[in-house]
Amino acid sequence: TDSAFRRVVVNSKMVLEDVARRHGVERDRIRLVYNGVDLDRFHPGRRESAGAALRKALAVSPRDIVCLFLGSGYGRKGLDLLIGAFREIASKEPRARLLVAGRDGDSAHHERAAADAGLSDKVRFLGPRSDAEACFAAADLYVLPTRYDPFANTTLEALASGVPAITSRQNGAFELIEEGVSGSVLSTLEAPAIARAVLAWCDAERLRVGSAQARALAEQHPAARTSAESAAVLDEVAAEKTGARA
């Protein structure tokens, strides 16, 4: 009921519209607070240390173009879509590699799909990792063709690491990305669209410029800002309640 809450806090405009439409919440009672990121943990400076070490351990050449998929729940996050697109990506850009990090109950299914597509030498499954910052530092591109995420934190973690992000409109974090500058937003989740988006970024100069732009964008969304904006909503409600009692 309306009396059960005073404000609803959402982390993307996508979710704001969903809450307003599905639940009939008045927009003036909804507050948008984007997620924030740890700018120290996820930093481009790790590329020459942790990133280079991971690439070496995986026998990935400095000349290879590493696409990273990181997350748990591969089906919802669209790993099958990315694997489906990677045959075209690899055929047109032989240097392209895909690293898959995260947890999934049926990871063997996705590994078989990659093998069946002839991509065993192009796609590496790293399993669950506790060093996400090193994974991002080893990557050139982050690709998350998710079917739904209110706001995938990994998008901001990639950007903070200086890694341009390619994601879908079903990820609320797409709202932060400036098309072609800090990453790309997929027009559809079909394999050709994913392949086109990835291939468009397989250029050393574009990646260099995009890396700086990605980091600059992430710096606008530090974790401290999210905390301050969340606290401001609580202060707003407290003041409203105090006024109502006066």
Side-chain angles (χ1 to χ4, degrees):
T1 65
D2 286 353
S3 61
F5 64 91
R6 289 179 179 269
R7 298 292 184 275
V8 175
V9 179
V10 298
N11 56 3
S12 66
K13 294 175 184 175
M14 180 185 77
V15 174
L16 186 156
E17 294 300 326
D18 198 39
V19 168
R21 182 179 66 257
R22 291 177 182 271
H23 302 287
V25 178
E26 300 92 336
R27 283 175 170 76
D28 62 0
R29 300 180 72 182
I30 306 175
R31 296 292 179 268
L32 171 62
V33 178
Y34 282 123
N35 292 358
V37 64
D38 184 336
L39 293 170
D40 294 325
R41 179 183 178 192
F42 299 96
H43 193 285
R46 296 187 184 276
R47 186 171 184 84
E48 300 303 321
S49 52
L54 180 56
R55 287 173 76 112
K56 183 177 180 179
L58 296 173
V60 174
S61 165
R63 291 177 51 81
D64 289 337
I65 300 171
V66 173
C67 300
L68 174 69
F69 174 100
L70 188 151
S72 297
Y74 294 165
R76 176 170 61 83
K77 293 183 180 291
L79 177 58
D80 58 314
L81 304 173
L82 180 53
I83 290 174
F86 219 80
R87 177 182 287 177
E88 179 180 351
I89 294 168
S91 69
K92 294 182 177 178
E93 177 47 80
R95 297 175 299 160
R97 300 288 185 272
L98 174 60
L99 300 183
V100 178
R103 186 186 306 277
D104 186 85
D106 196 15
S107 60
H109 165 77
H110 297 279
E111 293 188 42
R112 286 194 300 272
D116 290 345
L119 297 170
S120 296
D121 62 333
K122 301 290 186 180
V123 181
R124 296 284 298 275
F125 286 80
L126 309 184
R129 306 277 302 195
S130 60
D131 59 347
E133 65 277 11
C135 295
F136 285 115
D140 298 293
L141 279 172
Y142 182 56
V143 190
L144 186 72
T146 182
R147 291 179 167 92
Y148 182 75
D149 264 294
F151 187 111
N153 288 332
T154 53
T155 312
L156 260 183
E157 291 168 358
L159 297 172
S161 302
V163 179
I166 298 173
T167 193
S168 66
R169 291 184 176 275
Q170 289 74 35
N171 173 11
F174 92 86
E175 297 164 12
L176 304 184
I177 295 174
E178 187 175 354
E179 178 63 38
V181 177
S182 54
S184 291
V185 180
L186 297 167
S187 56
T188 75
L189 288 179
E190 296 176 354
I194 297 172
R196 282 195 302 272
V198 171
L199 289 167
W201 279 95
C202 290
D203 174 81
E205 180 60 16
R206 189 176 190 193
L207 285 171
R208 186 189 67 79
V209 174
S211 175
Q213 294 290 342
R215 175 65 186 188
L217 174 57
E219 287 176 348
Q220 300 175 33
H221 298 276
R225 174 177 172 175
T226 299
S227 297
E229 291 181 354
S230 299
V233 176
L234 297 176
D235 290 342
E236 178 185 358
V237 171
E240 186 177 282
K241 293 175 70 174
T242 300
R245 291 195 298 265

